[in-house]
Amino acid sequence: MNNYFNPQQPLRLLPKSCALGLMMCCAVGCQTFGGSGKGLSSLNPFGSPSDATASIDDIKGPMERTILASNSQSIVSTASLANTPEFQEYQAAKALYDAGNFAAAEKAFDKIAEDYALDDTGQYRRRTLGNFYKAPSERKAKYSDGPLREDALFMLAESRYQQEKFPGAEDVYLGLLKDYPNTRHLEASSKRLYDIALTWMDFKQTTNGEVQMAGYEENGRSGRPKIVANEEYNRPGFFNFFDKKRPTTDTEGRALEALKAIWLNDPTGPLADDALMLTASHYLRIGSHAEAAETYQLLREEFPNSPHAKDAYILGSYVTQASYQGAAYDEKNLEQSRQLKSIALASFQDLTPEERERLETELKEVEETKIAREFENALFWLGKGNFTAVEMVCHQIINTHPSSFYAGKARGLLSKLPEYQKRNTLMLALEGVTVADIPSIDATQTAMVPEYQPNPAPAKTESPTSEPEVEEEKKPRFFPSWGMPKLRPVPKDPEEHEGSNAPPFNPNPGYDEAQPGKATLTLGQEPATTR
């Protein structure tokens, strides 16, 4: 056994044929690959070179091969156009632009871009006369698509920008990003669109220090954000007939379109989060709280590391709370505002003491607004005439939130509940009791709250005469009640009912003392044994 597993004699473990084959393969391999200078080291089965002369410089991955293929194609197409009249025309237009003759350069670049423009069929718009009457599948373009039109479009937009023709420049920049999403002029086009939007609108970035919540109302609705600084923000008119730098119509919409194109086409660029912040600030200043909340949410989700993240959370909580319509509507926006304020307090350590105190105060106001929803529910049941539900909701508010503002209102509603119970239900619903109609009672004044009785009975007084007391007929509480049919009263004694031939009523038919708990069904017959 020891000799069989002896590591000094490993060939004993292999058959002689395997050992002979291995020696022949080594010999053939050395003779075959010896002349290449790499030997068997280049065929290492473990995937790593066995000597220092091996290299992986010639090995390329799929992404590198794709990039090299596209670069080589661009180089070939550019080289093929180098000696063509079209390329010479582009160079001449570029010389005009470099010389400062932007008007002439605009016309030259416009002609080149139009010559290379494609239609819906994928062919160039300007075709030869021989291709004009052919079918779309048989038409042939005069030129092949290349980087010439891409550069011509960008230089056309630059020529218009230098002449301060901003509406026309914006159109060309947007068309360039649409036709060439991966253009090499993406960053430069984004900067130009950003400058054009700022020139048209004079956008002002809003910070959380410039916004405050309006006065808290006591009718169950939340406060709305109010701009307290930079109130000189002016929105341009819809029509424009004198300023050539602005569009003829809808300057505001065109400016927002330019900002949108920046963060849509260049989301990883340096201006994407700035464009979103300016858009959200604009919606906040004009009072479009729903649009501002959506834009701030997009900024928080797509750019969590942006320097505008803190303002996006705080201002986003303001506009989300401002979108809350009141206690009679859904509380989704109110809950989302509470979450944003809590996240801002826990996540941002650079909050100033004033900002932190302000957020904590606003959180308390949000909690008070949520209690207002419960009190609004009590007023809802009051209008329905369900006084038991009103009492239950009021006691829940008092026990759950004893120190809140609406706890005093709940005590006041309980104090007036007997008075409301005596009123007509329909008239009470039409009256529309609100929070302002209910007095506020402190916890020290709870003795003033009378005990609520669901059905208060009138006080009985002893009559000196021996005449029987006649009960007053109760009128229906619900109004109106005219024309309602009157039902015959049910006789108290069944024997007084005329025409009654029914057998006497037995509450335990078929009861058998021998088998308690078991009854037999009898129809029209008396049980054999009765209890």
Side-chain angles (χ1 to χ4, degrees):
M1 295 293 295
N2 294 334
N3 293 334
Y4 191 76
F5 290 96
N6 189 1
Q8 300 296 331
Q9 299 177 356
L11 292 179
R12 293 185 179 181
L13 300 176
L14 299 176
K16 295 182 179 181
S17 58
C18 294
L20 182 60
L22 181 61
M23 295 173 61
M24 294 178 63
C25 289
C26 293
V28 174
C30 293
Q31 295 176 1
T32 304
F33 300 102
S36 62
K38 297 182 180 181
L40 288 177
S41 61
S42 61
L43 299 179
N44 192 339
F46 297 101
S48 58
S50 57
D51 57 353
T53 59
S55 176
I56 58 174
D57 295 338
D58 297 334
I59 300 176
K60 297 177 177 61
M63 181 62 68
E64 187 176 0
R65 290 195 298 268
T66 304
I67 294 176
L68 289 176
S70 61
N71 291 339
S72 62
Q73 184 178 1
S74 301
I75 294 173
V76 171
S77 60
T78 305
S80 61
L81 292 174
N83 298 323
T84 59
E86 293 78 17
F87 187 75
Q88 299 298 330
E89 185 180 1
Y90 175 83
Q91 293 287 16
K94 186 66 168 57
L96 292 175
Y97 179 85
D98 295 338
N101 192 356
F102 302 117
E106 176 188 357
K107 295 180 180 179
F109 285 122
D110 190 14
K111 181 179 181 302
I112 299 174
E114 186 65 23
D115 289 341
Y116 278 78
L118 301 176
D119 57 9
D120 296 337
T121 62
Q123 307 296 332
Y124 288 97
R125 295 176 185 173
R126 294 184 180 180
R127 308 185 188 92
T128 59
L129 184 61
N131 293 335
F132 188 78
Y133 295 99
K134 292 183 180 180
S137 59
E138 299 177 358
R139 295 172 183 172
K140 295 182 180 179
K142 184 177 181 181
Y143 308 110
S144 59
D145 192 12
L148 189 61
R149 181 174 181 269
E150 177 184 347
D151 294 344
L153 280 176
F154 177 73
M155 294 306 302
L156 172 62
E158 288 289 304
S159 301
R160 292 181 178 179
Y161 181 85
Q162 296 297 335
Q163 301 177 73
E164 295 185 348
K165 296 180 179 179
F166 297 139
E170 186 207 23
D171 292 336
V172 179
Y173 283 126
L174 295 179
L176 174 64
L177 298 180
K178 179 181 178 181
D179 296 342
Y180 303 93
N182 299 323
T183 178
R184 58 193 180 93
H185 307 292
L186 179 60
E187 184 175 354
S189 300
S190 298
K191 291 181 179 179
R192 294 301 193 192
L193 289 174
Y194 191 82
D195 293 339
I196 291 174
L198 290 180
T199 303
W200 285 347
M201 287 293 298
D202 192 19
F203 284 108
K204 293 181 176 64
Q205 178 180 327
T206 307
T207 60
N208 63 82
E210 300 172 345
V211 178
Q212 69 177 5
M213 298 299 294
Y216 185 75
E217 302 176 1
E218 297 181 359
N219 60 353
R221 295 179 180 272
S222 64
R224 295 182 178 274
K226 178 182 178 181
I227 303 296
V228 297
N230 292 334
E231 297 182 354
E232 68 277 4
Y233 184 71
N234 297 321
R235 300 172 61 184
F238 186 82
F239 295 101
N240 171 46
F241 301 103
F242 305 101
D243 191 357
K244 299 300 181 181
K245 299 180 182 180
R246 289 168 44 196
T248 306
T249 58
D250 196 13
T251 302
E252 180 179 329
R254 294 282 297 272
L256 294 176
E257 183 184 14
L259 293 178
K260 183 178 180 180
I262 295 174
W263 54 265
L264 277 182
N265 295 277
D266 192 14
T268 59
L271 298 176
D273 56 338
D274 296 332
L276 276 174
M277 189 64 187
L278 289 181
T279 303
S281 300
H282 171 72
Y283 286 137
L284 174 60
R285 291 178 182 274
I286 65 176
S288 299
H289 301 134
E291 291 79 1
E294 293 179 359
T295 310
Y296 281 125
Q297 181 180 0
L298 184 61
L299 179 59
R300 293 191 303 268
E301 294 177 353
E302 300 297 332
F303 303 95
N305 299 324
S306 171
H308 308 297
K310 182 178 71 173
D311 290 334
Y313 272 95
I314 299 178
L315 294 176
S317 67
Y318 292 162
V319 294
T320 304
Q321 184 175 350
S323 302
Y324 174 63
Q325 297 297 323
Y329 297 88
D330 187 19
E331 61 175 344
K332 178 181 178 181
N333 293 330
L334 188 64
E335 179 62 23
Q336 186 177 2
S337 176
R338 186 193 65 81
Q339 293 178 0
L340 291 176
K341 295 179 188 296
S342 301
I343 293 175
L345 281 173
S347 301
F348 299 104
Q349 303 299 328
D350 58 341
L351 291 174
T352 62
E354 292 78 10
E355 292 176 341
R356 189 172 298 277
E357 181 181 0
R358 181 182 177 186
L359 286 175
E360 292 175 353
T361 304
E362 292 170 355
L363 275 177
K364 295 178 181 178
E365 292 182 356
V366 172
E367 294 296 333
E368 194 76 13
T369 307
K370 296 181 67 175
I371 305 174
R373 294 181 57 84
E374 301 181 15
F375 190 78
E376 190 73 19
N377 190 23
L379 296 180
F380 170 79
W381 290 118
L382 179 64
K384 293 292 185 180
N386 193 340
F387 302 103
T388 306
V390 175
E391 182 189 15
M392 181 184 66
V393 175
C394 289
H395 281 298
Q396 181 181 0
I397 295 175
I398 295 172
N399 297 331
T400 309
H401 312 284
S403 60
S404 65
F405 168 79
Y406 287 94
K409 290 289 184 178
R411 298 186 189 98
L413 182 56
L414 288 177
S415 66
K416 299 190 66 175
L417 205 55
E419 176 186 349
Y420 289 139
Q421 187 183 9
K422 298 177 182 179
R423 297 185 186 180
N424 186 275
T425 307
L426 179 59
M427 300 304 297
L428 185 61
L430 293 177
E431 182 181 351
V433 180
T434 61
V435 182
D437 301 331
I438 306 299
S440 181
I441 300 179
D442 297 336
T444 58
Q445 303 174 348
T446 53
M448 299 173 54
V449 181
E451 184 179 358
Y452 168 69
Q453 299 179 0
N455 295 314
K460 294 183 179 181
T461 58
E462 297 182 357
S463 177
T465 61
S466 60
E467 295 180 359
E469 182 179 356
V470 180
E471 295 182 359
E472 184 180 356
E473 182 182 358
K474 295 183 179 180
K475 297 181 180 180
R477 291 175 50 250
F478 295 94
F479 180 85
S481 61
W482 300 290
M484 296 181 62
K486 296 183 179 180
L487 303 178
R488 293 180 60 187
V490 179
K492 297 181 180 180
D493 190 358
E495 295 180 357
E496 297 179 1
H497 184 67
E498 298 179 359
S500 175
N501 298 323
F505 174 73
N506 185 8
N508 297 320
Y511 181 77
D512 189 359
E513 295 181 355
Q515 297 179 353
K518 181 177 181 182
T520 58
L521 180 63
T522 59
L523 298 177
Q525 299 179 3
E526 294 186 0
T529 59
T530 58
R531 187 176 180 179

